[in-house]
Amino acid sequence: MIKLINNIEPIIDSWSGKYSELVGIFNKLKKYLINMGWLFAGKIFRMVLSMIAGIWVARYLGVQMFGMLSFCMAVALLFRPLAMFQLEGICVRELVSNPDKKDDILGSAFVLSLGSGVFSFLAAMIVIQVLQPDDQLFKVLVAIAGTGLVFFCFEVFDYRFQAQVKSKAVVISRTLVITLCSLLKIIGIWLGVSVTFFVWINVAEIILTGGALLLVYTRANNRITSLRVRLKWLKKLFLDAWPLALSGLAATIYLRIDKIMIGQMTDAAQVGIYTAATRLAEAWYFLPICIMATLYPAVVKSIKDPKINSDAYMQQIYKAMVLIGYLAAGLTFFAAKPVILLLFGSEYETSADVLMLYIWSGMFVNIAMVKSAWLKAMNLTKIQFVSTLAGAVLNIGLNLVFIRKFGVIGAAWATIISYAVEGYLILFLFPKTRNQARMISSAIFKPVLKIKSIL
């Protein structure tokens, strides 16, 4: 009996050790998992609600007017990254490293973003004047939509919760706002409103979201009167973020320039066809956005902590993003046409061909999100700017050739190629990023994921 007990004891100790290890891992990851759960739930709900309202608007307006709405929103929101000055990653990084300086960081970021928002509005008005000098309706729609750029400065209050990995209150507030605005769009359709009404609702959504973030921030025992604008932090945030702001502008250019160029080179109806496809393709983006919003503080920590194998950590994140891209592309290949016909109607049937092709760009968008997080954590923002600018220039050049020859299908090919270059291939050119490029290659060609390595 004693011998049997002696033989069993090591086994029990082993099980006990493994159980303790699992409990320790869970406790360590608990806040990340809860935060990711809230982000997922909020994103999915908002995505579905926004998608339903957007599809209803598209069917109501018809392909021609929906194309005009999409064109004007693309022009106005072209400068969104510049309005926000891409401060998110920089502020979260600094708030994680300097939590005692939150009032100085957020106060300075708010003023910097506010000034950028005003500048962005003026830039949007100049662009529409150049593109449509004789069309007053286009100018009015862009002017209305452009006012929302000024209110993106309130997004800085979300950065505090991202740094703390506590997104529950933010998710709830954003969800309530988009629910209200989606209901207003549906009511507008029932009342038979004009296209201008929907632009106003989009602006209202930005303003109400800003107000909700401010309310959540103050209810979390943060005082607005404690915010301070410090020259030191203004300078640091500006110097660290300006390459990201310009790269974000370049990224948005090649995210939206295809719609603008289609509108200029063909007609508004083709913009509507293309937008219907891209809206469904980009619905998948909520998943990588949520993942990276939650994991970014951990990415920063993995780079700063010598005890953590940062390369192994990043490798598994790249593989996760690639797998999401493969899954989305595979499902879309079989579902594209019936889904387009069901949701948008026969008027948008040709959107299915665009969707089956455009969906492949999502994999490189996912990769770019991870790459961007790593570059921000390493403070290699100039490389981010160069890579994004190269992608934007390539996208514009390819669109000039491909749209003229292949129409909206050509625009989809231009997007895929330019995304692949910006998010992946260009990293081989820089010594500091070649290892990341090799990791991405491994993720694309050997996408075997070890979940435990990420968590």
Side-chain angles (χ1 to χ4, degrees):
M1 178 65 72
I2 295 174
K3 185 177 181 180
L4 179 62
I5 292 173
N6 290 336
N7 289 335
I8 292 176
E9 276 184 348
I11 298 174
I12 294 175
D13 291 341
S14 174
W15 287 350
S16 177
K18 289 181 179 178
Y19 175 76
S20 299
E21 181 182 353
L22 288 173
V23 171
I25 292 173
F26 177 78
N27 288 333
K28 181 180 178 181
L29 300 173
K30 185 177 179 180
K31 73 172 184 177
Y32 293 104
L33 294 173
I34 291 174
N35 190 74
M36 191 180 295
W38 275 104
L39 288 172
F40 278 166
K43 281 284 185 181
I44 291 172
F45 182 83
R46 294 197 302 273
M47 179 195 72
V48 171
L49 196 59
S50 181
M51 185 70 69
I52 292 172
I55 290 169
W56 207 334
V57 169
R59 294 179 73 108
Y60 167 73
L61 291 177
V63 68
Q64 187 75 26
M65 291 303 296
F66 181 63
M68 178 186 293
L69 174 64
S70 301
F71 179 88
C72 292
M73 293 304 299
V75 172
L77 296 181
L78 193 66
F79 297 94
R80 175 175 178 167
L82 197 59
M84 299 178 69
F85 213 69
Q86 295 298 87
L87 290 166
E88 182 176 3
I90 302 298
C91 283
V92 172
R93 183 192 72 197
E94 295 302 330
L95 288 168
V96 170
S97 303
N98 307 281
D100 57 319
K101 300 292 184 182
K102 73 174 181 69
D103 292 325
D104 295 349
I105 295 170
L106 294 178
S108 302
F110 182 88
V111 170
L112 185 56
S113 181
L114 177 61
S116 299
V118 174
F119 176 82
S120 299
F121 171 76
L122 297 175
M125 294 309 300
I126 293 173
V127 169
I128 194 61
Q129 176 63 36
V130 172
L131 295 179
Q132 299 288 338
D134 301 319
D135 196 312
Q136 285 301 119
L137 180 57
F138 276 86
K139 293 178 185 177
V140 170
L141 295 180
V142 172
I144 296 170
T147 57
L149 296 170
V150 180
F151 293 92
F152 279 124
C153 56
F154 287 93
E155 289 288 329
V156 302
F157 297 113
D158 182 20
Y159 306 159
R160 169 66 170 169
F161 299 99
Q162 289 187 40
Q164 295 178 315
V165 197
K166 295 179 179 179
S167 297
K168 177 180 176 180
V170 172
V171 168
I172 293 173
S173 64
R174 289 185 186 276
T175 303
L176 289 174
V177 169
I178 201 167
T179 300
L180 173 62
C181 292
S182 296
L183 288 174
L184 289 174
K185 289 179 182 179
I186 294 172
I187 292 172
I189 293 171
W190 180 64
L191 294 174
V193 299
S194 69
V195 66
T196 308
F197 175 83
F198 300 106
V199 182
W200 275 115
I201 294 299
N202 288 332
V203 174
E205 183 179 324
I206 296 172
I207 297 173
L208 290 174
T209 298
L213 290 175
L214 180 60
L215 179 62
V216 169
Y217 181 79
T218 55
R219 288 180 64 86
N221 298 319
N222 298 298
R223 296 174 58 188
I224 297 298
T225 54
S226 297
L227 296 178
R228 295 289 182 269
V229 181
R230 304 292 186 189
L231 183 60
K232 169 191 170 183
W233 282 105
L234 270 177
K235 182 178 179 181
K236 179 171 179 52
L237 292 175
F238 178 84
L239 292 176
D240 286 355
W242 75 260
L244 290 176
L246 293 181
S247 63
L249 177 61
T252 306
I253 286 174
Y254 73 80
L255 276 170
R256 301 184 185 278
I257 198 66
D258 43 9
K259 296 173 186 176
I260 296 173
M261 294 181 72
I262 290 170
Q264 289 295 105
M265 297 172 69
T266 57
D267 55 47
Q270 292 302 302
V271 180
I273 294 292
Y274 189 79
T275 301
T278 58
R279 184 160 292 183
L280 289 179
E282 292 168 2
W284 289 91
Y285 291 177
F286 82 92
L287 192 56
I289 289 172
C290 289
I291 291 173
M292 291 315 302
T294 297
L295 293 183
Y296 180 67
V299 170
V300 175
K301 184 179 179 181
S302 73
I303 291 171
K304 293 182 178 296
D305 191 343
K307 297 179 182 178
I308 301 176
N309 186 341
S310 178
D311 286 349
Y313 187 73
M314 295 302 299
Q315 178 69 83
Q316 296 308 313
I317 299 178
Y318 281 124
K319 288 185 177 181
M321 293 303 189
V322 168
L323 283 173
I324 292 171
Y326 281 138
L327 176 64
L331 292 175
T332 301
F333 179 80
F334 295 103
K337 189 167 184 177
V339 168
I340 286 288
L341 291 175
L342 175 66
L343 297 179
F344 290 92
S346 58
E347 190 177 8
Y348 291 87
E349 183 176 0
T350 53
S351 296
D353 296 330
V354 180
L355 176 57
M356 284 189 289
L357 181 60
Y358 187 92
I359 191 68
W360 284 101
S361 66
M363 183 170 71
F364 297 107
V365 171
N366 296 352
I367 290 170
M369 289 183 190
V370 185
K371 175 211 73 173
S372 178
W374 183 82
L375 289 174
K376 283 185 282 189
M378 292 290 291
N379 204 25
L380 297 175
T381 53
K382 291 182 180 178
I383 293 179
Q384 173 75 5
F385 169 60
V386 171
S387 64
T388 309
L389 180 62
V393 171
L394 178 62
N395 186 261
I396 293 172
L398 292 175
N399 272 318
L400 284 171
V401 177
F402 288 3
I403 292 175
R404 185 173 287 109
K405 192 169 184 179
F406 304 109
V408 289
I409 292 294
W413 271 114
T415 298
I416 294 171
I417 295 170
S418 59
Y419 281 17
V421 170
E422 185 276 335
Y424 166 39
L425 297 175
I426 200 169
L427 297 180
F428 284 105
L429 299 180
F430 306 101
K432 293 181 179 179
T433 60
R434 281 176 192 153
N435 192 42
Q436 297 294 306
R438 286 189 284 268
M439 291 182 192
I440 296 171
S441 298
S442 176
I444 292 173
F445 299 109
K446 295 189 294 183
V448 179
L449 179 64
K450 297 177 181 177
I451 298 293
K452 185 178 177 181
S453 298
I454 296 179
L455 300 177

